[in-house]
Amino acid sequence: MGIKMKIEVRDLEVEFKNGTKAVDGVSLEIENGIFGLLGENGAGKTTLMRVLTTLLPISSGTVTFDGVPVVPENYCEIQKIIGYLPQELVLYPQLRVREALEYLGSLSGLTKAQCKEKIDYYLERTNLKEHQKKKIRQLSGGMKRRVGLIQAMMGDPKILVVDEPTTGLDPEERIRIRNLLVEFAKDRVVLFSTHVIEDIGATCKNLAIMKKGKILYQGTVADLLRQSQGHIRTVEVQTEEEVSKLNKSIRYVQSNIRKTELRLKLFVRKYQVRWMVTKGLFWKMHICI
């Protein structure tokens, strides 16, 4: 029988000392499975996740985990059920991969036997087994992200919060990590923040889109795709020169669209280009067509 969890966010606001509202009136309900959090850089995704992981205080509104309010007196209890991969995770550069994970596992309260079992399993699943004796400072950016993901998962948290987990990964490793998260989320809540549409489409049933601290859309991926019908145009080009001309045309359209309430969504895959015009959204994305 799987663990049932529910996160409820009501009218959440986070305002910094300079008056900036990084999160502005956000309300969400997140249950078991992978919930996608999509938006351009600066949309408020990371701030929202830092609130959910008790790293930032709430200015107003409420957040509850299965009815337990996220307030300072409950932080210790909440932290025990959360695994977190931040956007920038500082690891110990002089430690070897296995040493770093053993140390982080011990801080999470795992026994030596539990640490060994979890580390062996996740090193295999993330394709890092042959790199376990390397020092952290010798790893590529993508490898460090995978080590960070292991430390977030090895304690079997009821809630896993991952901020851009596929950054720096090649296509094969990106798919491997997405599959691992899908499997992990079968009886847990996984909050998956990204600006890569392909990651959301491959892993999530439900998502929210953020911009400037607000929720622009909340619902299923399928409903979002239905809403886009009739707004997609496809252009076939044959040469690099045609691609260059098309890119110039798209930039021109984009600069003019910005004067209105419309934004341009651009999909690129080799010599086939799709674009969709829709209200309130703007980012470039790469997907397989």
Side-chain angles (χ1 to χ4, degrees):
M1 191 71 178
I3 303 167
K4 295 296 183 181
M5 286 295 299
K6 186 175 184 179
I7 301 173
E8 293 185 89
V9 180
R10 292 285 177 265
D11 303 317
L12 179 66
E13 293 191 356
V14 179
E15 185 172 352
F16 296 131
K17 291 181 179 180
N18 63 5
T20 300
K21 277 191 178 181
V23 176
D24 189 1
V26 167
S27 294
L28 293 170
E29 288 191 7
I30 305 172
E31 298 183 332
N32 280 26
I34 300 185
F35 187 94
L37 193 58
L38 185 65
E40 60 195 2
N41 292 334
K45 306 187 304 296
T46 296
T47 300
L48 174 58
M49 288 186 294
R50 287 174 65 83
V51 168
L52 296 178
T53 53
T54 74
L55 297 176
L56 271 182
I58 295 169
S59 300
S60 66
T62 61
V63 179
T64 61
F65 291 177
D66 272 354
V68 177
V70 178
V71 292
E73 52 265 38
N74 293 331
Y75 280 0
C76 287
E77 179 183 352
I78 291 168
Q79 288 166 2
K80 291 176 183 177
I81 64 170
I82 292 178
Y84 180 39
L85 173 64
Q87 198 169 49
E88 295 183 10
L89 177 65
V90 179
L91 297 167
Y92 303 94
Q94 296 304 320
L95 290 181
R96 301 185 189 280
V97 170
R98 179 172 282 275
E99 292 172 340
L101 290 171
E102 287 172 344
Y103 176 64
L104 293 168
S106 68
L107 292 180
S108 300
L110 298 179
T111 66
K112 286 186 177 181
Q114 289 172 329
C115 271
K116 184 180 186 310
E117 179 185 355
K118 294 296 182 182
I119 291 170
D120 287 346
Y121 175 75
Y122 284 117
L123 285 175
E124 186 72 38
R125 292 299 308 274
T126 58
N127 201 29
L128 284 175
K129 187 175 181 179
E130 64 184 63
H131 303 288
Q132 62 182 298
K133 293 183 179 180
K134 287 184 179 179
K135 292 186 176 181
I136 296 295
R137 61 180 173 81
Q138 296 175 306
L139 302 181
S140 66
M143 289 179 183
K144 289 178 182 177
R145 293 305 286 167
R146 283 180 274 164
V147 173
L149 183 60
I150 292 173
Q151 66 80 30
M153 299 175 75
M154 61 191 293
D156 285 332
K158 295 179 181 178
I159 298 169
L160 179 66
V161 179
V162 289
D163 195 350
E164 304 284 357
T166 59
T167 298
L169 303 186
D170 62 36
E172 183 179 347
E173 294 302 335
R174 183 185 293 271
I175 292 170
R176 187 191 306 274
I177 294 306
R178 291 198 309 235
N179 290 340
L180 178 59
L181 289 172
V182 169
E183 182 180 318
F184 191 82
K186 286 179 180 177
D187 58 358
R188 299 174 178 86
V189 172
V190 175
L191 181 60
F192 186 159
S193 170
T194 184
H195 62 273
V196 181
I197 285 286
E198 184 182 354
D199 286 345
I200 296 293
T203 60
C204 303
K205 178 181 178 182
N206 298 292
L207 81 157
I209 301 174
M210 291 188 71
K211 184 172 184 181
K212 295 182 179 178
K214 295 180 179 292
I215 298 294
L216 295 182
Y217 173 84
Q218 181 182 355
T220 67
V221 173
D223 284 340
L224 183 61
L225 291 174
R226 278 194 289 270
Q227 290 183 30
S228 73
Q229 290 179 1
H231 297 279
I232 295 176
R233 302 293 179 266
T234 301
V235 177
E236 297 280 354
V237 290
Q238 302 298 323
T239 66
E240 292 281 1
E241 183 180 359
E242 290 180 21
V243 172
S244 178
K245 288 180 180 179
L246 184 59
N247 283 335
K248 290 179 182 178
S249 298
I250 289 169
R251 283 195 292 271
Y252 174 77
V253 173
Q254 175 182 318
S255 66
N256 282 277
I257 285 175
R258 285 188 174 188
K259 297 176 183 177
T260 72
E261 293 184 352
L262 299 179
R263 293 294 183 265
L264 187 70
K265 288 172 71 177
L266 173 65
F267 301 76
V268 181
R269 175 89 158 76
K270 293 185 178 179
Y271 295 155
Q272 189 176 55
V273 178
R274 290 185 179 184
W275 68 87
M276 181 202 321
V277 178
T278 186
K279 290 186 177 179
L281 309 176
F282 169 70
W283 57 84
K284 288 185 178 181
M285 61 198 76
H286 299 268
I287 65 169
C288 294
I289 297 175

